[in-house]
Amino acid sequence: SEFQYDYEVYHSMEEIQSWMFEMNRTHPHMLDMFSIGRSYEGRPLYVLQLGKRTRTYKKAVWIDCGVHAREWIGPAFCQWFVKEALNSYRHDSSMRRLINQLTFYVMPVFNVDGYHYSWKVDRFWRKTRSKNAKYHCRGVDANRNWKVKWCEEGASSHPCDDTYCGPYPESEPEVKAVAKFLRKHKRRVKAYISIHAYAQMLLYPYSYKYATIPNFNCVETAAQNAVSALYSAYGVRYRYGPASTTLYVSSGSSIDWAYKTGIPYAFAFELRDTGYFGFLLPETLINPTCTETMRAVRAIASGLLKKC
Amino acid sequence: YLYNNRYAGDQVLRITPRNEEEVQVLRRLFQNMSVDLWQPNSASLIHEGRAVDVHTGQNGTAGLKARLRQEHIQHSVLISNLQEEIEKQTGYRSSRKRR
């Protein structure tokens, strides 16, 4: 029977994993599913590789969702992106061009343990679920655990804080697995995109310092195009710019690590809204939020196919 | 009830510190209170003129509001009953399940 999946509701970790298996089974020529490791609690870290298989060299885009457990709109967007890309391949020539010329690595849930915990126990859990021998508090902020200016301004060294950076960089198996994968594929990965919520912003390096990145003009243009594309859907305005000035200074973040690793375009989206619902964005807003964000991500990906 | 109704009566307040003095008051306040900061996600990241969204438990809300009034710090209620919003967020699903 036709696989019915409702992309306009939030799904549990188990449902998302089943969806991945089903999409992999039903789109063998466009999708490839693999695990890049296991979480602290032993869950597989699945990634979907989206794109036409070719022997030739192809640039790649990495998209991760759900770094922070309570930001449920992230995983909803990653699933929406895969569904839209596959559904529009036949009738949308620009999407077809993107999929033919780029490889998309999509990780629907980065923080699989935290997401599961936010479904079952604490809706507002943010961190991973690793244990700390000396403290009763659990979890590390996976976006303070990357090896770049690790555990300095904007991060906390106290295990009970929400911005705890961890005992050492890449201490979290989820962060270590993604870092290892991106290091391995860094020659091909030209864009790193991390989906967060909420604030309606598009952020790029640096987060840990007030300085301008070397390829500022190209990245700023890509960001401008992205937020313009997003605005074109429903008129929602996003702020954009370097994370340190647009949001706040924070060290150990994934976009700074990706950029330092050599990925020229690194973005973090903070999706809807600006505080009215916050982390509790209603399911009725999944469709418009994902539709507008899809336009922004497509704009960034299209930019990779042009020279800058 | 989802999550065993643990968020009944919890609220989310929006506080906008207008000057450095209010920033310091808030930082001190949140160092000593167990609150769930939604935005920014750490007291050290509170800045002048930037909205602070904070989730407070049923028992702590009145006290925090009283303290904010005492310090004449502007604040408003973003979400007056968190449990209701949680039920609404995935209410569609549970009604579907019931159906």
Side-chain angles (χ1 to χ4, degrees), chain A residues 9-10 15 70 118-119 121-124 126 144 198 246-248 274-275 277 279-281 283, chain B residues 3 6-7 14 36-42 45 50 53 55 78-79 82 85-86 89 92-93 96:
Chain A
V9 297
Y10 295 111
E15 289 170 344
R70 59 191 180 188
S118 75
W119 264 77
V121 182
D122 180 350
R123 173 65 188 76
F124 303 109
R126 165 184 168 87
R144 300 291 188 280
Y198 60 91
T246 311
L247 192 53
Y248 39 67
T274 53
F277 291 107
F279 300 123
L280 293 176
L281 200 71
E283 292 179 322
Chain B
Y3 304 96
R6 67 182 278 186
Y7 300 104
R14 170 157 289 184
D36 170 18
L37 272 169
W38 280 23
Q39 189 173 268
N41 24 57
S42 159
L45 299 172
R50 279 278 178 84
D53 296 344
H55 161 202
L78 278 187
I79 301 176
L82 215 44
E85 280 311 312
I86 286 177
Q89 183 182 52
Y92 173 75
R93 174 186 301 276
R96 190 172 69 209

Side-chain angles (χ1 to χ4, degrees), chain B residues 11-96:
Chain B
Q11 294 195 335
V12 177
L13 305 185
R14 170 157 289 184
I15 306 163
T16 308
R18 290 164 298 180
N19 51 50
E20 194 47 36
E21 186 189 341
E22 289 188 1
V23 166
Q24 295 310 321
V25 168
L26 287 175
R27 284 185 182 170
R28 274 198 308 276
L29 199 59
F30 293 149
Q31 298 296 342
N32 302 311
M33 279 179 83
S34 71
V35 291
D36 170 18
L37 272 169
W38 280 23
Q39 189 173 268
N41 24 57
S42 159
S44 64
L45 299 172
I46 293 175
H47 289 291
E48 185 180 332
R50 279 278 178 84
V52 176
D53 296 344
V54 58
H55 161 202
T56 63
Q58 182 185 23
N59 302 324
T61 304
L64 174 58
K65 283 180 180 176
R67 190 63 197 278
L68 292 172
R69 276 195 294 274
Q70 182 188 330
E71 301 280 351
H72 305 292
I73 293 178
Q74 277 182 352
H75 61 281
S76 59
V77 176
L78 278 187
I79 301 176
S80 55
N81 189 325
L82 215 44
Q83 184 71 28
E84 275 179 22
E85 280 311 312
I86 286 177
E87 303 287 351
K88 263 192 251 172
Q89 183 182 52
T90 53
Y92 173 75
R93 174 186 301 276
S94 52
S95 62
R96 190 172 69 209

Side-chain angles (χ1 to χ4, degrees), chain A residues 169-203:
Chain A
E170 295 185 26
S171 62
E172 302 313 284
E174 300 86 350
V175 173
K176 191 172 186 67
V178 173
K180 184 180 170 194
F181 180 87
L182 291 174
R183 275 193 283 263
K184 184 180 172 191
H185 295 282
K186 67 180 180 181
R187 224 176 39 85
R188 285 194 311 115
V189 176
K190 298 303 177 191
Y192 169 85
I193 295 173
S194 190
I195 305 293
H196 294 254
Y198 60 91
Q200 295 181 187
M201 290 180 180
L202 178 57
L203 308 168

Side-chain angles (χ1 to χ4, degrees), chain A residues 234-246:
Chain A
Y234 301 102
V236 172
R237 290 188 191 283
Y238 266 46
R239 292 174 56 210
Y240 66 94
S244 55
T245 49
T246 311

Side-chain angles (χ1 to χ4, degrees), chain A residues 65-78:
Chain A
C65 296
V67 166
H68 293 132
R70 59 191 180 188
E71 299 167 15
W72 285 9
I73 187 64
F77 172 71
C78 265

Side-chain angles (χ1 to χ4, degrees), chain A residues 41-42 44 72-73 78 99-100 113 117 169 173 182 188 200 204 223 289:
Chain A
E41 292 178 343
W72 285 9
I73 187 64
C78 265
I99 290 182
N100 286 345
D113 299 343
Y117 191 73
L182 291 174
R188 285 194 311 115
Q200 295 181 187
Y204 53 78
T289 303

